[in-house]
Amino acid sequence: DAKTTQPTSMDCAEGRAANLPCNHSTISGNEYVYWYRQIHSQGPQYIIHGLKNNETNEMASLIITEDRKSSTLILPHATLRDTAVYYCIVRVVNAGGTSYGKLTFGQGTILTVHP
Amino acid sequence: GAVVSQHPSRVICKSGTSVKIECRSLDFQATTMFWYRQFPKQSLMLMATSNEGSKATYEQGVEKDKFLINHASLTLSTLTVTSAHPEDSSFYICSVGDSHFYEQYFGPGTRLTVT
């Protein structure tokens, strides 16, 4: 699976949008971009995933560049409870639509939301 | 998404003893579960993939005789750390995948401390 690069840490003011970048310049055509987050001492939580189109759900939006070499996770109105480590992961999905299942976690971005 | 529980949430054991960690998929029949380990201030590392009714697949460097995995039913997988040592102290997290593994749902984790 392609490697991702994320900033080590970011700050965001409560109520503002948090924009978390991820670089995945070696991504291949059958790799999806996934985002998870991990609040301290808890298991990771799935946020969103996408292939090439922008995606939005109740938690966040995912913006993928046209060349798919980078993406941005957007938390539109960050709250203190969004303070966590955010992981950007690229993951193969095979032609049959069933992924290989493995998630390879990097170091992620520590997002701190402050009052 | 699927609800995943782990038991116990915390365990302290003495060096040389064995400890069993349970992972339950409460509302989803999981043919495949995953076990991760996370040391302090580090990222999650996949230890093994647990397949219902068959042997687990271990990642390189993970001792299969030390970390025994049993996946006897579609809702339960267990990880037994045998002859635990202080260096096995870690946060152990399981996850289950949906039918296409597009998403993985993680348990809350088990904090193991070996004294």
Side-chain angles (χ1 to χ4, degrees), chain A residues 10-19 75-83 86 111-115:
Chain A
M10 294 182 66
D11 288 339
C12 177
E14 188 177 22
R16 303 296 293 269
N19 297 284
L75 308 178
H77 305 286
T79 70
L80 298 179
R81 287 178 292 183
D82 291 321
T83 293
Y86 287 77
L111 175 68
T112 303
V113 181
H114 52 85

Side-chain angles (χ1 to χ4, degrees), chain B:
Chain B
V3 179
V4 181
S5 70
Q6 286 185 236
H7 178 80
S9 57
R10 291 177 180 270
V11 58
I12 300 172
C13 71
K14 293 188 176 182
S15 185
T17 63
S18 296
V19 61
K20 180 184 287 188
I21 301 169
E22 293 185 348
C23 175
R24 292 184 183 274
S25 176
L26 300 182
D27 57 354
F28 178 75
Q29 293 191 322
T31 55
T32 302
M33 293 184 178
F34 303 90
W35 286 96
Y36 295 81
R37 178 169 55 183
Q38 185 175 33
F39 293 109
K41 297 189 176 182
Q42 294 188 23
S43 190
L44 284 80
M45 294 295 294
L46 179 66
M47 298 176 66
T49 302
S50 165
N51 299 296
E52 188 264 339
S54 64
K55 292 183 178 180
T57 303
Y58 290 82
E59 295 299 301
Q60 191 172 8
V62 178
E63 300 175 59
K64 63 180 181 180
D65 294 330
K66 181 172 179 62
F67 299 99
L68 302 179
I69 292 174
N70 183 281
H71 191 162
S73 77
L74 290 173
T75 58
L76 174 65
S77 176
T78 61
L79 168 68
T80 301
V81 183
T82 63
S83 187
H85 291 285
E87 56 265 31
D88 298 322
S89 298
S90 188
F91 193 48
Y92 292 87
I93 309 168
C94 70
S95 72
V96 306
D98 66 5
S99 58
H100 296 289
F101 300 117
Y102 285 151
E103 301 175 19
Q104 277 191 28
Y105 304 99
F106 287 80
T110 295
R111 178 78 58 191
L112 170 64
T113 303
V114 184
T115 61

Side-chain angles (χ1 to χ4, degrees), chain A residues 35-39 43-47 59 75 81-87:
Chain A
W35 284 84
Y36 282 79
R37 73 180 182 184
Q38 185 179 26
I39 295 170
Q45 178 188 21
Y46 165 83
I47 301 174
M59 287 184 68
L75 308 178
R81 287 178 292 183
D82 291 321
T83 293
V85 180
Y86 287 77
Y87 296 100

Side-chain angles (χ1 to χ4, degrees), chain A residues 2-3 9-10 17 27 29 42 52 57 67 87 103-104 109 115:
Chain A
K3 184 177 179 179
S9 63
M10 294 182 66
I27 194 170
Q42 297 183 24
K52 54 184 177 181
N57 62 20
D67 63 7
Y87 296 100
L103 288 173
T104 302
T109 295

Side-chain angles (χ1 to χ4, degrees), chain A residues 21-80:
Chain A
C22 179
N23 188 301
H24 32 79
S25 58
T26 60
I27 194 170
S28 57
N30 64 345
E31 288 182 311
Y32 280 66
V33 179
Y34 280 76
W35 284 84
Y36 282 79
R37 73 180 182 184
Q38 185 179 26
I39 295 170
H40 183 64
S41 293
Q42 297 183 24
Q45 178 188 21
Y46 165 83
I47 301 174
I48 199 167
H49 75 277
L51 180 62
K52 54 184 177 181
N53 297 321
N54 297 337
E55 302 288 344
T56 296
N57 62 20
E58 64 278 4
M59 287 184 68
S61 294
L62 173 60
I63 308 298
I64 303 173
T65 58
E66 193 170 342
D67 63 7
R68 300 208 324 123
K69 293 185 177 182
S70 65
S71 61
T72 300
L73 177 75
I74 301 173
L75 308 178
H77 305 286
T79 70
L80 298 179

